[in-house]
Amino acid sequence: MAVQQILCLIKRSHYSVSIETSGSKLLYEHEVAKFDCVIADLKCPSTEMESYNVSELYYNLRKVDFVKAVVQNNDDLWYTHEYFSRYLTSAKIALSPRYGFIQPVEIVEWMRKYNKTDWMLNLQMHKTVWPDSVKPGLQTLSGIDVNSYIATEV
């Protein structure tokens, strides 16, 4: 079954459909419109993949969508700031701390200092739920009813 057909079936069943993308592929406005929410990554310099960011993708995002930047340091914070000073987006901007490199409080203090009141802090819950020594996977999740942890919107 084609992706378009699956999307139609899901939406007809009154479910919301969101997609998370790496930010390295362009989604045109008509493609973005197929989803209730698009979450696109912004690759920061610490990833050494910032050349893969597609500025037109962020321009095509709507107010219901998100750009998520995983930041490791102040350079990444400034990169995100400068990027969206040059390239416009209607999407919400969410900063996620790279676990073990920058503390959430440092990001919040930076956001306050530079008046980023419309930006958000996004915590990667899987980093909080499982300690460093435990990597989630089939072995870790065996015996857990995973469906009880999945949120669906009807």
Side-chain angles (χ1 to χ4, degrees):
M1 186 178 286
V3 173
Q4 183 62 34
Q5 291 171 311
I6 293 170
L7 283 173
C8 288
L9 284 172
I10 293 170
K11 291 188 76 79
R12 274 192 225 134
S13 299
H14 305 287
Y15 286 96
S16 294
V17 179
S18 299
I19 186 171
E20 185 165 348
T21 174
S22 69
S24 62
K25 301 288 183 200
L26 176 60
L27 290 176
Y28 294 98
E29 286 181 49
H30 72 277
E31 294 170 312
V32 168
K34 294 176 184 177
F35 301 97
D36 296 293
C37 180
V38 174
I39 304 158
D41 286 353
L42 176 74
K43 301 298 183 194
C44 293
S46 66
T47 67
E48 298 182 359
M49 297 184 73
E50 70 271 21
S51 63
Y52 292 99
N53 293 326
V54 178
S55 60
E56 193 175 347
L57 164 64
Y58 309 115
Y59 180 80
N60 291 338
L61 296 179
R62 308 154 299 178
K63 290 181 181 181
V64 297
D65 301 323
F66 290 86
V67 174
K68 178 187 73 176
V70 178
V71 296
Q72 176 174 313
N73 52 39
N74 278 336
D75 290 343
D76 287 349
L77 290 167
W78 279 109
Y79 175 83
T80 306
H81 164 76
E82 290 174 8
Y83 194 92
F84 290 111
S85 294
R86 283 191 310 255
Y87 303 109
L88 298 178
T89 187
S90 295
K92 299 170 194 78
I93 298 172
L95 301 175
S96 295
R98 182 167 177 208
Y99 189 72
F101 286 88
I102 190 170
Q103 294 298 314
V105 68
E106 294 175 73
I107 296 172
V108 171
E109 288 171 356
W110 184 89
M111 289 168 45
R112 289 178 67 194
K113 182 176 181 178
Y114 296 102
N115 201 30
K116 297 295 181 187
T117 57
D118 54 340
W119 289 21
M120 304 168 69
L121 175 67
N122 178 55
L123 299 178
Q124 300 177 76
M125 294 307 295
H126 64 283
K127 301 289 187 175
T128 304
V129 172
W130 286 283
D132 289 341
S133 60
V134 178
K135 299 292 181 200
L138 294 177
Q139 294 172 335
T140 306
L141 296 177
S142 63
I144 297 175
D145 179 11
V146 176
N147 290 323
S148 66
Y149 293 95
I150 298 173
T152 56
E153 187 177 313
V154 179

